């Protein structure tokens, strides 16, 4: 009997020839994070919208794809990579002004942690689809 090796569930091997930007473009639409984004946008309410919720979230996902260990490292990547800023949804024409400050990320992560149940639902749904 021939044994067929199972492919890794979350391996990037089949996308190995793709650069990080291309992998990010593949990943973002698959996340199906719309319900989570709506919760975070409602949480923000009518407050300041200097940095759109979706763009900041996408940049955090990019930080994971690009294996950044810190927000500082992610911010440096965003500063030198306008294509990444564009994919995340930031207004590239603002230059470095489009990149959230470290404090913005800290508050954003606090807001994510307040909605951890909704985030868990997102990942449960992704797992079920897989």
């Amino acid at each position: 009997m021939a044994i067929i090796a199972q492919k890794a569930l979350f391996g990037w091997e089949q996308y190995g020839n793709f650069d990080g930007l291309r992998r990010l473009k593949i990943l973002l639409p698959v996340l199906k994070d719309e319900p989570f984004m709506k919760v975070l946008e409602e949480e923000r309410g009518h407050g300041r919208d200097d940095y759109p919720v979706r763009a900041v979230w996408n940049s955090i996902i990019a930080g994971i794809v690009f294996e950044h260990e810190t927000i500082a490292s992610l911010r440096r990547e965003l500063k030198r990579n306008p294509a990444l800023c564009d994919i995340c949804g930031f207004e590239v024409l603002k230059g470095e002004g489009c990149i959230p400050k470290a404090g913005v990320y800290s508050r954003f992560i606090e807001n994510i942690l307040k909605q951890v149940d909704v985030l868990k639902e997102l990942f449960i749904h992704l797992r079920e689809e897989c």
Side-chain angles (χ1 to χ4, degrees):
M1 173 193 232
I3 297 174
I4 300 172
Q6 181 177 351
K7 291 183 180 181
L9 183 60
F10 295 109
W12 287 108
E13 292 82 23
Q14 67 252 32
Y15 304 108
N17 294 331
F18 294 168
D19 65 3
L21 292 175
R22 181 111 184 256
R23 290 192 312 244
L24 184 62
K25 284 182 181 181
I26 292 168
L27 175 64
L28 290 176
V30 174
L31 281 180
K32 300 197 174 150
D33 52 5
E34 186 63 23
F36 186 57
M37 292 298 95
K38 286 184 178 182
V39 168
L40 291 177
E41 288 171 341
E42 286 175 19
E43 178 77 19
R44 174 177 271 178
H46 296 291
R48 292 180 62 171
D49 194 19
D50 296 338
Y51 308 103
V53 167
R54 294 164 193 262
V56 178
W57 170 253
N58 288 343
S59 69
I60 289 174
I61 300 300
I64 294 167
V65 170
F66 285 88
E67 300 178 10
H68 289 285
E69 294 184 11
T70 64
I71 293 297
S73 173
L74 170 61
R75 290 185 69 246
R76 284 191 299 274
E77 174 79 20
L78 289 166
K79 285 181 181 180
R80 70 173 185 268
N81 193 339
L84 177 59
C85 291
D86 186 49
I87 290 169
C88 290
F90 293 115
E91 294 181 43
V92 180
L93 295 178
K94 288 184 177 179
E96 285 189 17
C98 78
I99 299 164
K101 309 233 180 304
V104 172
Y105 279 105
S106 296
R107 288 186 297 278
F108 190 79
I109 291 169
E110 286 176 13
N111 289 336
I112 288 173
L113 293 175
K114 290 177 189 174
Q115 305 298 335
V116 73
D117 291 336
V118 180
L119 188 58
K120 282 181 184 177
E121 288 178 26
L122 168 69
F123 285 104
I124 288 170
H125 177 72
L126 285 172
R127 184 186 65 203
E128 289 173 353
E129 278 194 3
C130 288

